[in-house]
Amino acid sequence: MYIISFDYAFSQGNPDDYYYEIPEVPEFYNEGTVAARIVDGLGFRYYWASEGLREEDLKFRPAEGSRSIEETIDHIFALSKILVDAVNQQPYEQVDLTSISFEEKREMTLENIKNASEILKKSTALNFQNYNMTFSSTVEYPFWNLLNGPIADAINHVGQIISFRRTNGNPFNQNISVLRGKVKN
């Protein structure tokens, strides 16, 4: 058995932040609450994966030709924007992130995820018929594709950030329980 310890100072986040811990479970299961819980899981994981990133982490890429952490953050932002636009029943509009700081992108991404979750929590089966990803006037996909496309892709990329930051010497806060959605005491 190997015991690994790190002497890095972990950022503790802000307990008042929406995704500091995963929101309480809903009182009932339905289409909307289940979909919202998946989105909340993304929000909680993204919050902690991106918490305490340093400038050198943002520039880090594990190999030539791969995305840097900041480029991955930009991609997750775009995926969160596709999601929130779909549940707002609007076509996706790309945002130019070149002049936006990492902190602003992080906040905007978390806000997109939270807003999508809040809409989903109030949704019924009929609402989901209108939550289409629309990329142009002729390209449209149903909500099902949001699940296996942007949402699953964003969760995958959050895992990459966790791996990349660990490789760069700034590991994910070990006091986070992704199973419980809580910060360990």
Side-chain angles (χ1 to χ4, degrees):
M1 180 163 123
Y2 296 96
I3 298 174
I4 301 172
S5 66
F6 298 99
D7 293 326
Y8 303 104
F10 290 111
S11 175
Q12 294 301 309
N14 180 351
D16 294 328
D17 290 344
Y18 190 77
Y19 283 117
Y20 178 83
E21 294 189 332
I22 201 165
E24 292 298 322
V25 297
E27 294 179 21
F28 54 89
Y29 290 89
N30 70 19
E31 305 86 349
T33 60
V34 170
R37 188 64 172 190
I38 294 167
V39 170
D40 286 337
L42 166 62
F44 175 73
R45 287 169 184 261
Y46 177 79
Y47 178 92
W48 286 105
S50 59
E51 177 68 17
L53 288 174
R54 308 166 301 193
E55 190 62 37
E56 61 261 32
D57 297 322
L58 295 173
K59 291 178 171 76
F60 179 78
R61 67 182 76 239
E64 193 170 324
S66 66
R67 284 185 181 135
S68 67
I69 289 179
E70 186 159 25
E71 290 165 341
T72 304
I73 294 280
D74 291 353
H75 183 57
I76 294 170
F77 169 79
L79 296 168
S80 76
K81 182 78 166 68
I82 291 168
L83 170 63
V84 77
D85 285 350
V87 298
N88 277 307
Q89 301 175 43
Q90 300 172 353
Y92 169 66
E93 289 191 38
Q94 192 170 2
V95 175
D96 180 7
L97 298 175
T98 53
S99 63
I100 299 175
S101 72
F102 159 69
E103 291 81 11
E104 292 169 313
K105 287 185 264 190
R106 180 176 186 263
E107 185 176 322
M108 292 165 55
T109 302
L110 289 165
E111 192 66 28
N112 285 343
I113 295 168
K114 176 185 173 191
N115 289 341
S117 173
E118 289 177 348
I119 291 167
L120 290 168
K121 285 175 187 163
K122 300 174 194 168
S123 299
T124 66
L126 291 174
N127 297 121
F128 283 84
Q129 295 174 15
N130 299 315
Y131 295 160
N132 299 319
M133 288 186 294
T134 306
F135 294 106
S136 69
S137 60
T138 59
V139 179
E140 189 171 282
Y141 298 94
F143 185 82
W144 293 113
N145 293 78
L146 272 167
L147 292 170
N148 62 277
I151 295 171
D153 195 31
I155 293 168
N156 176 64
H157 290 303
V158 167
Q160 287 177 320
I161 292 170
I162 292 168
S163 176
F164 293 178
R165 70 182 289 168
R166 181 180 298 125
T167 302
N168 200 43
N170 184 14
F172 182 74
N173 186 334
Q174 59 189 329
N175 293 318
I176 303 307
S177 171
V178 293
L179 175 65
R180 294 182 315 120
K182 303 280 182 200
V183 178
K184 297 174 194 174
N185 293 333

